[in-house]
Amino acid sequence: MEINEPLSQCNICGQDITEGWVFQVEGDIPENDQKEYLKFSMGRYDAERFADVLIAQGYMYYLLLDLVESENIQEQDDVQYNEFLEKVRFLIERDAMSQAEKPVLCFGEVGDCLKLAFISPNDPKLVLSSFAEIIRTEPWGEYFPLLEAREARHFPRYDGIMAKIIISPRRKTDIKNIFCITLNGAVDFNDYELTKLFRFDSAIKTDKKIFNNDTVMSVWVQEKTLKDMNWDITSPIEVVTDSHNKEKKDMFGLLAYTGLDDTPTAVINPDEYRVRK
């Protein structure tokens, strides 16, 4: 027998059966998955908006920020460590990145290395100063009582590097060739110029003594990027790295942030704070 409408009563005993009704809509997204799909959609929108400007401009400013002594911190309590990483990413995206005047992206999955990209050379100033203030003022000891610094003066502390990344003309022909979206909605990017920046990051680690006073974040900034930012750094140093028997050189200055002032201190003798291998 064909039933065109759902029955409200059992056709045998007459009992009300409406409480047992279950409806399934084809194509409906389970509630638990909705946030992931929303994150994917937002990530794609942000990436496309950034890429539109990037294609026209031809370059961006890429920032890497590493948590100081991350292995020591993770060893103390792995659960709180992962919660800390999520908290930091949430705060930098909600509070620090919101200070930017032009599009800015936070790349990759949650991890101890924060990767940010900027269109305007002025926006890193705003975002870094805001993030330094976050590091300084948030009650980290209340949030994560099991985590503490062993080598630096306080937890957390960050050390980073920033440089100008020129986009290859071949990438400008198709917006889809610039960024990718991971399965959980995170934006990611890979390029030869970025690989070179990671090489410099490995070659210019900062001595922990820079954190002995009020410094909460140190950033090595490429000389040409400093000029774009109109920052007067008088004593950049040469950084040399080697990859597949090819030598790469560039000049970097060092900025120290305390989170107490809007502007960082330009370190006069950056070579003094460079780790010698």
Side-chain angles (χ1 to χ4, degrees):
M1 178 179 66
E2 182 179 351
I3 301 175
N4 295 321
E5 296 180 2
L7 298 175
S8 60
Q9 294 179 331
C10 175
N11 60 2
I12 297 177
C13 67
Q15 184 177 350
D16 182 18
I17 59 173
T18 55
E19 293 184 0
W21 283 358
V22 176
F23 294 93
Q24 179 175 342
V25 180
E26 291 296 331
D28 187 32
I29 301 174
E31 186 173 352
N32 291 338
D33 296 335
Q34 288 179 14
K35 289 184 179 180
E36 293 301 321
Y37 281 98
L38 180 61
K39 184 178 179 182
F40 183 90
S41 177
M42 292 176 64
R44 177 166 184 154
Y45 169 77
D46 290 341
E48 290 181 351
R49 188 167 66 102
F50 190 97
D52 282 336
V53 184
L54 178 61
I55 287 174
Q57 179 168 283
Y59 59 86
M60 63 179 165
Y61 301 95
Y62 202 103
L63 169 69
L64 302 173
L65 284 175
D66 287 301
L67 177 66
V68 174
E69 61 171 316
S70 57
E71 187 175 351
N72 282 342
I73 304 298
Q74 184 175 19
E75 182 184 22
Q76 292 167 26
D77 189 275
D78 199 40
V79 173
Q80 284 201 3
Y81 175 76
N82 289 328
E83 291 174 352
F84 162 76
L85 297 180
E86 292 182 0
K87 180 74 172 179
V88 166
R89 179 169 286 245
F90 169 75
L91 289 173
I92 198 169
E93 290 181 348
R94 186 195 68 179
D95 297 340
M97 290 169 57
S98 64
Q99 305 299 313
E101 297 175 357
K102 292 189 177 181
V104 55
L105 284 180
C106 188
F107 287 111
E109 314 294 342
V110 174
D112 66 299
C113 179
L114 294 166
K115 298 176 286 185
L116 279 70
F118 304 88
I119 290 294
S120 167
N122 293 320
D123 283 337
K125 296 181 179 181
L126 301 171
V127 173
L128 284 169
S129 293
S130 177
F131 185 48
E133 184 178 352
I134 289 170
I135 296 172
R136 167 70 61 185
T137 59
E138 286 294 318
W140 302 106
E142 295 178 18
Y143 296 152
F144 313 106
L146 299 179
L147 307 182
E148 59 181 18
R150 292 175 179 169
E151 298 175 13
R153 185 177 178 184
H154 299 294
F155 167 79
R157 292 291 184 268
Y158 275 86
D159 183 31
I161 189 169
M162 183 167 62
K164 191 174 186 176
I165 302 293
I166 308 296
I167 300 302
S168 167
R170 294 177 58 194
R171 288 186 178 272
K172 296 181 182 181
T173 59
D174 188 352
I175 191 174
K176 294 180 181 178
N177 288 336
I178 294 182
F179 302 125
C180 67
I181 309 295
T182 65
L183 289 176
N184 74 346
V187 183
D188 216 339
F189 168 74
N190 191 27
D191 186 85
Y192 168 74
E193 291 295 323
L194 180 59
T195 301
K196 188 165 66 173
L197 177 59
F198 274 96
R199 298 292 186 191
F200 284 123
D201 182 47
S202 299
I204 193 168
K205 292 305 179 184
T206 314
D207 194 293
K208 302 298 189 299
K209 66 183 179 182
I210 199 169
F211 300 109
N212 288 343
N213 297 313
D214 288 328
T215 302
V216 296
M217 181 172 59
S218 59
V219 184
W220 293 93
V221 185
Q222 180 190 40
E223 186 178 30
K224 67 177 70 173
T225 299
L226 288 167
K227 290 180 179 178
D228 287 354
M229 296 167 68
N230 293 319
W231 221 301
D232 184 21
I233 303 297
T234 58
S235 55
I237 62 173
E238 185 180 61
V239 180
V240 181
T241 184
D242 182 87
S243 176
H244 303 290
N245 296 320
K246 292 183 179 179
E247 190 176 76
K248 301 173 178 63
K249 299 179 180 180
D250 212 331
M251 303 294 290
F252 288 84
L254 180 60
L255 302 178
Y257 289 79
T258 65
L260 300 171
D261 303 301
D262 291 335
T263 57
T265 299
V267 178
I268 298 175
N269 51 342
D271 204 46
E272 215 179 281
Y273 294 96
R274 183 180 178 185
V275 174
R276 296 296 176 186
K277 296 183 179 180

